[in-house]
């Protein structure tokens, strides 16, 4: 099993190396975008060919009641590891609530088949060792798409090694039972996301970018306990920095003459010239006046010369996506 898994990982990595040069200017948060996009396509193809049909067959074969019991069972197992991470992060209240959830669902819920803890208003938390590392200030590192496992970061990928050791399913014997539980959990999780992935495929123009941004924002949301910091913009050249230090008025500021904020050449091209009466009348005067007005039109809200086009003072911001 380990050899086959390693072979799949190496083969997928070799496939992805060919796409590393596809992106000439990757973003700061995604310097491995060429590799990641190729790996994303590999995972998406595998999901479309194998995982999605199996998940749909799972939903078709089992009634909703049975599927809910399966989800509650694995959720109860996961609460043990979530409680450990919340306690490691110093979140005593959240960790205690997780322990109470396990106790209630394991006893009254017949080993976690029924979720009585949620009915008792004990909240369901989400955490892992990657969140614990982020809680203590470990930077996420570059965005990384893992083969078969999907979106991650360098920090979270390292945290997976601890997550696998903290999963209670890994300690179940015999091996066939553990392998069966792994498979059922993967199919159950994929089946629960069928509606979301179908909506994503129909709505997102660039599915890779959407998944990347949503994943990174969700991780930041978990690390910051639902209070993520405002987004930081790398390009500050367009930001409104206010008046300069030497006291000179900012171009376009209230009270500043428009001519003072433009070069002399632009002033001469854009400022309207006053026409002195020359004594000409009739069609010749009208034609001269029309030519003068067409040669130099003043800037207005509806007419802005190309030399005076400036970007807005503040960049537009995209609201954070929050998952609960």
């Amino acid at each position: 099993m380990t050899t086959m898994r390693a072979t799949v990982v190496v083969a997928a990595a070799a496939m992805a190396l060919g796409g590393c040069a596809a992106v000439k200017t990757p973003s700061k948060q995604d310097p491995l975008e060429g590799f990641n996009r190729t790996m994303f396509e590999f995972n998406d193809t595998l999901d479309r060919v194998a995982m999605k049909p199996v998940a749909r067959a799972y939903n078709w074969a089992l009634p909703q009641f049975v599927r809910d019991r399966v989800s509650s069972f694995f959720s109860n197992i996961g609460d043990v590891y979530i409680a450990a991470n919340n306690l490691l992060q110093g979140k005593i209240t959240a960790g205690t609530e997780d322990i109470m959830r396990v106790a209630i669902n394991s006893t009254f819920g017949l080993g976690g088949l029924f979720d009585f803890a949620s009915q008792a208003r004990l909240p369901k938390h989400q955490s892992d060792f990657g969140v614990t590392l982020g809680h203590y200030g470990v930077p996420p590192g570059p965005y990384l798409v893992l083969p078969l496992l999907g979106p991650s970061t360098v920090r979270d990928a390292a945290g997976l090694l601890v997550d696998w050791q903290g999963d209670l399913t890994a300690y179940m014997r015999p091996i066939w039972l553990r392998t069966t539980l792994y498979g059922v959990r993967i199919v159950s999780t994929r089946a629960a996301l069928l509606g979301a992935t179908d909506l994503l495929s129909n709505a997102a123009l660039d599915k890779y970018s959407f998944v990347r941004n949503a994943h990174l924002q969700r991780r930041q949301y978990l690390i910051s306990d639902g209070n993520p910091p405002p987004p930081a913009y790398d390009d500050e050249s367009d930001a409104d920095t206010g008046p300069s230090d030497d006291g000179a008025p900012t171009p376009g500021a209230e009270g500043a003459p428009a001519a003072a904020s433009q070069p002399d050449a632009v002033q001469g091209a854009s400022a309207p010239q006053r026409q002195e009466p020359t004594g000409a009348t009739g069609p010749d005067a009208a034609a001269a006046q029309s030519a003068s007005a067409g040669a130099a039109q003043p800037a207005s809200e509806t007419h802005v010369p190309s030399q005076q086009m400036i970007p807005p003072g503040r960049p537009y911001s995209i609201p954070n996506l929050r998952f609960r």
Side-chain angles (χ1 to χ4, degrees):
M1 178 64 69
T2 304
T3 303
M4 183 178 66
R5 184 181 305 172
T7 303
V8 172
V9 172
V10 172
M15 292 172 54
L17 291 177
C20 292
V23 180
K24 296 182 180 180
T25 56
S27 62
K28 182 179 179 181
Q29 66 178 355
D30 191 5
L32 305 175
E33 186 171 351
F35 172 89
N36 289 334
R37 282 187 177 273
T38 305
M39 190 62 65
F40 180 84
E41 291 296 331
F42 170 78
N43 290 341
D44 189 61
T45 302
L46 182 64
D47 176 76
R48 185 172 60 254
V49 172
M51 291 303 303
K52 187 178 289 187
V54 173
R56 287 176 175 169
Y58 174 84
N59 282 351
W60 175 83
L62 298 180
Q64 184 67 47
F65 177 81
V66 177
R67 300 200 301 267
D68 290 342
R69 304 289 71 79
V70 174
S71 299
S72 297
F73 173 78
F74 289 113
S75 176
N76 186 58
I77 293 178
D79 281 338
V80 177
Y81 186 62
I82 291 173
N85 277 281
N86 280 331
L87 293 176
L88 285 176
Q89 297 168 30
K91 302 174 182 177
I92 305 302
T93 301
T96 303
E97 290 173 343
D98 295 329
I99 294 175
M100 293 178 62
R101 284 184 58 90
V102 174
I104 292 175
N105 290 336
S106 298
T107 53
F108 300 103
L110 302 179
L113 294 178
F114 296 88
D115 187 5
F116 288 113
S118 295
Q119 299 180 17
R121 299 185 181 278
L122 286 173
K124 170 73 176 178
H125 301 114
Q126 297 291 338
S127 188
D128 51 51
F129 196 69
V131 175
T132 300
L133 293 176
H135 175 79
Y136 288 106
V138 178
Y143 178 70
L144 182 65
V145 179
L146 300 174
L148 306 180
L149 300 178
S152 182
T153 60
V154 173
R155 178 195 62 204
D156 295 341
L160 284 175
L161 300 176
V162 180
D163 292 338
W164 287 335
Q165 297 299 320
D167 185 9
L168 295 182
T169 309
Y171 301 97
M172 294 185 177
R173 297 291 186 274
I175 297 179
W176 67 265
L177 175 61
R178 180 180 62 195
T179 305
T180 302
L181 289 176
Y182 274 140
V184 173
R185 179 166 61 182
I186 292 173
V187 174
S188 175
T189 303
R190 184 63 187 91
L193 297 175
L194 279 175
T197 52
D198 291 341
L199 179 63
L200 173 62
S201 300
N202 295 329
L205 298 177
D206 183 4
K207 188 160 62 171
Y208 169 81
S209 298
F210 185 90
V211 171
R212 177 192 63 194
N213 297 338
H215 175 79
L216 294 177
Q217 291 185 25
R218 179 178 181 271
R219 298 299 292 179
Q220 185 60 43
Y221 177 86
L222 293 175
I223 294 172
S224 60
D225 295 329
N227 297 301
Y233 299 99
D234 296 335
D235 186 7
E236 299 180 354
S237 59
D238 296 338
D240 186 6
T241 56
S244 58
D245 295 336
D246 58 359
T250 304
E254 184 178 359
S261 62
Q262 302 176 5
D264 295 338
V266 176
Q267 293 180 31
S270 61
Q273 301 294 329
R274 181 177 179 180
Q275 300 294 331
E276 298 293 339
T278 58
T281 59
D284 295 337
Q289 212 170 19
S290 174
S292 175
Q297 297 182 4
S300 65
E301 294 181 357
T302 57
H303 172 75
V304 180
S306 59
Q307 297 91 341
Q308 301 181 36
M309 291 295 292
I310 59 174
R314 298 181 182 275
Y316 295 103
S317 62
I318 300 176
N320 290 335
L321 297 176
R322 297 191 172 186
F323 296 83
R324 297 188 180 275

